[in-house]
Amino acid sequence: MNLTLWIGLLAATLTTSSFFPQALKTWRSQRADDFSWSYLLLFGVGILMWDLYGLLRQDTAITLANTITLALIGVIILTKFRSER
Amino acid sequence: MNLTLWIGLLAATLTTSSFFPQALKTWRSQRADDFSWSYLLLFGVGILMWDLYGLLRQDTAITLANTITLALIGVIILTKFRSER
């Protein structure tokens, strides 16, 4: 596998795994005030589109990475929604 | 241009543009407590890798989108750093 593909895989792994510590911090603190709703919704829909893109291209890596990210963003969205009710 | 490419472009536009309202909120409030350092650093390095990937593949769209995202994440990292000193 060539260098460029390795860098792409590393990029995908880093950006996807970055949401684990964030979702954990948000879940534990039950605080998401500093997140902007526009960010969460735009980013969430964007990740949904990447998921759809991965499915259409039958690219398991893109689909898997974005499904995980979607679930983790969901934790932050849920926390912000509940904390603002 | 086929549907799949449109969805990819929409996904990239949404995920990149989502950081504008977040960077604006963070800059105005000068608060980033709810962000996890691990998220910001892992995500930041991941976006840097996507940038490198885009350069290696000579893909202007990937390079441009991730350069913008990197700058906007930089605003959040800078704010969190200054607010915790």
Side-chain angles (χ1 to χ4, degrees):
Chain A
M1 218 168 36
N2 65 35
L3 175 67
T4 305
L5 201 57
W6 270 112
I7 287 175
L9 278 176
L10 179 61
T13 307
L14 285 168
T15 45
T16 302
S17 59
S18 70
F19 283 95
F20 278 105
Q22 182 61 63
L24 194 63
K25 175 181 170 74
T26 301
W27 188 256
R28 279 185 178 152
S29 67
Q30 284 299 299
R31 281 179 49 91
D33 304 346
D34 294 335
F35 283 94
S36 137
W37 270 118
S38 319
Y39 160 68
L40 289 172
L41 297 178
L42 280 170
F43 192 78
V45 173
I47 294 296
L48 203 62
M49 290 296 119
W50 277 123
D51 235 355
L52 186 58
Y53 178 78
L55 287 171
L56 289 171
R57 287 181 59 110
Q58 294 169 338
D59 185 319
T60 316
I62 289 184
T63 308
L64 185 63
N66 287 286
T67 303
I68 293 169
T69 305
L70 204 58
L72 296 168
I73 279 281
V75 169
I76 301 169
I77 289 174
L78 184 68
T79 304
K80 187 167 177 74
F81 180 73
R82 284 184 358 183
S83 67
E84 289 182 2
R85 258 187 327 181
Chain B
M1 217 171 26
N2 64 35
L3 175 66
T4 304
L5 201 56
W6 271 113
I7 287 174
L9 278 177
L10 179 61
T13 308
L14 284 168
T15 44
T16 302
S17 59
S18 70
F19 284 95
F20 279 103
Q22 182 60 65
L24 193 64
K25 174 182 170 75
T26 301
W27 188 256
R28 280 185 179 152
S29 67
Q30 284 299 301
R31 280 179 49 90
D33 305 345
D34 294 335
F35 283 93
S36 137
W37 271 117
S38 318
Y39 161 67
L40 288 172
L41 297 178
L42 280 171
F43 192 78
V45 173
I47 293 295
L48 203 64
M49 290 296 118
W50 278 123
D51 234 355
L52 186 58
Y53 179 78
L55 287 171
L56 289 171
R57 286 181 60 109
Q58 294 167 340
D59 185 319
T60 316
I62 290 183
T63 308
L64 184 63
N66 287 285
T67 303
I68 293 170
T69 305
L70 204 57
L72 296 168
I73 279 281
V75 168
I76 301 170
I77 288 173
L78 184 68
T79 304
K80 187 168 177 74
F81 180 72
R82 284 183 1 183
S83 67
E84 288 182 2
R85 258 189 325 182

